Amino acid sequence: MNLMLDDILSMDTESFFRYVASIPYGYKDCFGKLHYAGDADFTVQNYSFSSPEEIVKNNCCWCWDLAELIKLYCVRHGLVCKSYFMEYCSDSLHQTHTQVFLRCQGKWSAAPDNCLGLSFGTPCFDELEPCVTWFVSMFTDYLKSVLKENYAAANLLVKEYTRTFPAGISDEEYLSMVRQ
C-alpha cells in the first residue's frame, strides 16, 4: 500500500510518530538519487531539501527535511510546536541537528524522529525551556564524547526558527536561511 501525504497527516499522533521513526535516514540529491546514512560509501554531495510530499514518496529524509513534515502534522492537528536548529562548527567537526518540540496533552516533549530513537512523550516537561535544555544537553554530550577536550561551547549555535524551506534548496542555502 502506497501512502500519500494526506494519509500520513490523517494518522493519530502515536501512529504518525511510528511512521516517522520508520523512515530511513538519508537524503535526496539534486539528481533525485537517494542516499542512506547506513551505506558504506555515504557522503553528502548535491543535497536537495525534500518537501513533506517527497519524504512520503521517497521514504527517505534527514532531520532538516523531517522537521517540515512534523510541523505540518502539528498544524493540521492543532498541536503547538517549536522548531530549533543546533549547529556545532569548528575546524575539526561540523554537526547540525534540527529538532521539533511539541506540546501534547499539556506537556512538552521532543518530537520523535528517524535517527535518535526517541519515544513519543518521553520524557515530557511542563515548560518548553527545560525540554529544550534537556535535548541540547544530549546533543552537547555527544559532541563532547567525540571532541573530548577540544569541545568549545562558543562553537555551538542553538536557535529557534519559524520559517519554512522550499523544496530543492541546497545544504548551503538551507544553512544560510536557518542561521538568519
Side-chain angles (χ1 to χ4, degrees):
M1 177 181 176
N2 289 337
L3 294 174
M4 303 296 288
L5 180 60
D6 282 340
D7 299 323
I8 301 304
L9 295 176
S10 297
M11 292 178 171
D12 65 80
T13 307
E14 288 189 26
S15 297
F16 173 76
F17 284 113
R18 275 195 305 276
Y19 165 76
V20 162
S22 76
I23 301 170
Y25 194 76
Y27 71 97
K28 175 185 62 105
D29 69 24
C30 64
F31 306 108
K33 183 177 180 199
L34 301 179
H35 303 268
Y36 299 97
D39 292 347
D41 61 346
F42 181 78
T43 59
V44 180
Q45 295 179 330
N46 302 310
Y47 169 86
S48 179
F49 192 88
S50 291
S51 68
E53 292 86 0
E54 290 170 316
I55 293 169
V56 173
K57 176 183 169 229
N58 295 327
N59 195 37
C60 178
C61 67
W62 68 14
C63 61
W64 300 353
D65 313 310
L66 185 57
E68 296 305 302
L69 176 60
I70 293 171
K71 291 182 335 186
L72 184 60
Y73 180 86
C74 289
V75 167
R76 171 83 58 101
H77 290 270
L79 298 170
V80 175
C81 69
K82 301 287 183 175
S83 309
Y84 280 78
F85 174 72
M86 291 161 262
E87 179 177 40
Y88 186 88
C89 195
S90 71
D91 292 339
S92 57
L93 180 67
H94 183 218
Q95 184 77 42
T96 67
H97 184 67
T98 301
Q99 184 62 47
V100 177
F101 297 90
L102 68 137
R103 190 164 191 254
C104 188
Q105 299 177 344
K107 300 285 186 178
W108 284 96
S109 64
D113 59 21
N114 60 342
C115 67
L116 298 176
L118 298 175
S119 297
F120 177 65
T122 306
C124 56
F125 300 85
D126 292 329
E127 301 293 328
L128 174 62
E129 187 177 329
C131 187
V132 172
T133 300
W134 166 78
F135 191 90
V136 170
S137 72
M138 283 195 330
F139 186 64
T140 57
D141 286 350
Y142 163 75
L143 295 169
K144 290 173 184 176
S145 75
V146 171
L147 294 167
K148 311 283 188 239
E149 66 277 350
N150 295 322
Y151 173 81
N155 294 337
L156 180 66
L157 168 68
V158 177
K159 82 181 278 303
E160 181 181 358
Y161 70 91
T162 56
R163 73 177 314 141
T164 57
F165 303 93
I169 62 172
S170 69
D171 50 349
E172 291 86 11
E173 290 169 312
Y174 174 85
L175 290 170
S176 175
M177 293 169 77
V178 77
R179 288 173 182 146
Q180 294 177 358

